[in-house]
Amino acid sequence: MVKIVKWLFVLLPQWVIAQDAGKLDLQQAYTEAQQNYPAIRQKGLIKQTAELSIDNLSKAYLPQLQLNGQASYQSDVTKVDIPLPGITVPALSKDQYKITADLSQTIYDGGTVKAQKEWQQLNAGVEDERAEVELYQLKERINQLYLGVLYLDEQLRQVDLIRADLNNGIKTVSAQVDNGVAFRSNLNLLKAELLKNDQRAIELKASRKGMINTLSLFLNRPLPESTVFEKPADPLPGLPDKQVQRPELRLYDNQAKLFAQQNKVIDAKNLPKFSAFVQGGYGRPGLNFLDNSFDLFYVAGVRLNWSLGGLYTKKKEKELVKISQQQVALQKETFLLNTNASLSQQQSDMEKLEQLVATDREIIALRQSVKEAAKAQLDNGVITATDYLEEVNAEDQARQLMITHQLQWLQAKINYQTILGKQ
């Protein structure tokens, strides 16, 4: 029994996936496309790079060991020429040797390491948001493909409606030809139009297949032609929101924080630094320059390092940072201006298309009544197949126009949400 339960837990998720394999919705397409887009792997590399860089910076607080060796020959050495009774001062050798080990421990670094760590973290945030921007822009491409398939699906449904109308006309005219009350040319005209309608279906299916194949590349999995693309629900059922929440804004904000942190790094690197040190060595001469033999020696103490050269460039470096901050602020302002302009255009399109769709419905209702009247007239032999075909095509054009307007309306709403940053 336990084994059966385990197998059910394994097989049940796969069965659920298999049941949903024939359907696809827009949010699912977004998720799968982003999960398989190369930029998603870049986010992991950014995190690893930041962790390694911060870990390396932390090593600055560890004791630093340096080994040095030197062998030299000099033209002259220090000599004691004053005669001292009972004391002989040996002459130093002109060839000298020394090997040392320097051990130092940072006591105070002016906050340089801390500032650099924070800079690395902020820089990782900037690079991560760059990847998010790239991933978000992928949604625009998915919108085009997904809504393109929906548009073609609606066109194919219209083809089926026209086929039904033409078959009804062919059935009626065929009976009239058999009864000798209609010309066979009228029948052939309808049959030719039916073949033309079938050609249109072939073209639409080929275009749909091409879009599905392209979308499958982004999703990194095969999509059969039988896949049902679910129509998205109305993304804007009420008044449209105008608060922009795009990842580009987070990118600009993180860049501003990064430049502010750069100022702290500049300040820290120009502060004095203190460290404790111990130097031990072996050589000739040792610390006693009057002793010409090899000897061990050591020196210990506290060291102050203060590079004053950075003070000459500190002001200019901060000016450069300020210019970069101003550039980011201008980029953000430009982005918001363009985004709000796009939102305004999309809102105008939504209002226009909503009115057009309402008018399309009225036109279709009128065209349908005219077509039905023409069908009755065709049945009674009052009009020819050409007249009937004209009304069928007129209704077809009206329905195609409404399909176009409906999909454009939906696309404008989805685009509005995408531009806003909430899709």
Side-chain angles (χ1 to χ4, degrees), residues 47-59 116-117 120:
K47 182 179 179 180
Q48 292 179 22
T49 301
E51 290 175 349
L52 291 173
S53 299
I54 292 173
D55 187 58
N56 280 338
L57 288 171
S58 299
K59 299 296 192 296
Q116 288 178 338
K117 280 184 177 182
Q120 285 291 346

Side-chain angles (χ1 to χ4, degrees), residues 318-335:
K318 288 200 168 187
E319 287 181 1
L320 289 173
V321 171
K322 185 177 180 181
I323 292 173
S324 298
Q325 289 175 320
Q326 291 173 344
Q327 289 176 335
V328 170
L330 286 174
Q331 290 172 1
K332 181 178 180 180
E333 184 179 350
T334 302
F335 174 79

Side-chain angles (χ1 to χ4, degrees), residues 68-86:
N68 300 290
Q70 177 179 314
S72 63
Y73 182 87
Q74 54 196 64
S75 60
D76 201 358
V77 294
T78 302
K79 298 176 183 178
V80 180
D81 294 331
I82 302 173
L84 299 173

Side-chain angles (χ1 to χ4, degrees), residues 181-199:
V181 295
F183 294 107
R184 183 166 295 276
S185 60
N186 289 337
L187 178 62
N188 291 337
L189 178 65
L190 292 175
K191 287 183 177 180
E193 195 66 24
L194 180 62
L195 291 174
K196 182 179 177 181
N197 190 67
D198 290 340
Q199 285 183 332

Side-chain angles (χ1 to χ4, degrees), residues 232-238 350 409-417 423:
D234 189 348
L236 290 171
M350 286 187 290
W409 186 22
L410 178 60
Q411 185 172 18
K413 289 190 170 187
I414 292 175
N415 287 343
Y416 188 93
Q417 290 291 80
Q423 184 65 20

Side-chain angles (χ1 to χ4, degrees), residues 148-159:
V149 173
L150 288 181
Y151 176 75
L152 293 174
D153 285 342
E154 293 294 333
Q155 290 287 333
L156 285 169
R157 291 189 186 96
Q158 179 59 22
V159 166

Side-chain angles (χ1 to χ4, degrees), residues 143 147-148 150-152 154-155 231 234-236 345-357 360 400-416:
N143 286 344
L147 294 174
L150 288 181
Y151 176 75
L152 293 174
E154 293 294 333
Q155 290 287 333
K231 191 173 182 179
D234 189 348
L236 290 171
Q345 181 62 50
Q346 291 297 327
Q347 187 171 357
S348 297
D349 290 343
M350 286 187 290
E351 294 171 355
K352 175 191 70 176
L353 290 166
E354 185 176 6
Q355 295 175 8
L356 289 176
V357 169
D360 286 333
Q400 287 188 44
L401 199 57
M402 187 178 74
I403 290 171
T404 300
H405 290 157
Q406 284 178 329
L407 266 296
Q408 287 177 341
W409 186 22
L410 178 60
Q411 185 172 18
K413 289 190 170 187
I414 292 175
N415 287 343
Y416 188 93

